[in-house]
Amino acid sequence: DLEDKLSRVDIIDPAKMTGNVIKFGATVQVVDEDAKQEHTYQIVGEYEANFEKGKLAFTAPLSRALIGKTVGDTVEVKTPKGAKAYEVLKVAYK
């Protein structure tokens, strides 16, 4: 199983990426519109994900909602506690 996964690995260097559209590798600053709290997340692969370190898997509901959005866009995400709305404040690739 591990050999199969390693044979399909693509190395993506976010530092070589640019733009203001959110895609894999982006570091995104958002504000929770209800709690008025800002959060910064990087969209990463499933095996790199670590919520406590601000690394969200590209398959996570928030990541899926953010991909393709730009600064100023608002996304709504269904959570176990109900729907949450986030506004995109900043997009960076580093």
Side-chain angles (χ1 to χ4, degrees):
D1 185 48
L2 184 57
E3 285 179 3
D4 176 56
K5 289 177 181 155
L6 288 173
S7 71
R8 294 182 284 128
V9 168
D10 285 328
I11 305 296
I12 297 173
D13 184 358
K16 294 181 180 179
M17 300 171 74
T18 61
N20 58 1
V21 177
I22 300 170
K23 52 191 166 193
F24 184 89
T27 298
V28 183
Q29 184 178 9
V30 297
V31 63
D32 178 330
E33 293 189 336
D34 296 326
K36 303 298 184 210
Q37 294 179 332
E38 292 184 13
H39 304 280
T40 301
Y41 301 110
Q42 182 179 21
I43 300 175
V44 299
E46 291 181 85
Y47 299 105
E48 298 172 273
N50 184 325
F51 187 76
E52 288 78 28
K53 293 184 178 181
K55 294 183 180 263
L56 294 180
F58 70 96
T59 56
L62 179 55
S63 296
R64 290 193 319 243
L66 289 170
I67 290 176
K69 303 296 189 264
T70 61
V71 172
D73 287 348
T74 299
V75 298
E76 189 170 299
V77 181
K78 292 180 184 177
T79 72
K81 294 181 180 181
K84 303 274 292 175
Y86 297 90
E87 180 183 350
V88 179
L89 301 177
K90 184 178 178 183
V91 179
Y93 292 93
K94 45 184 167 175

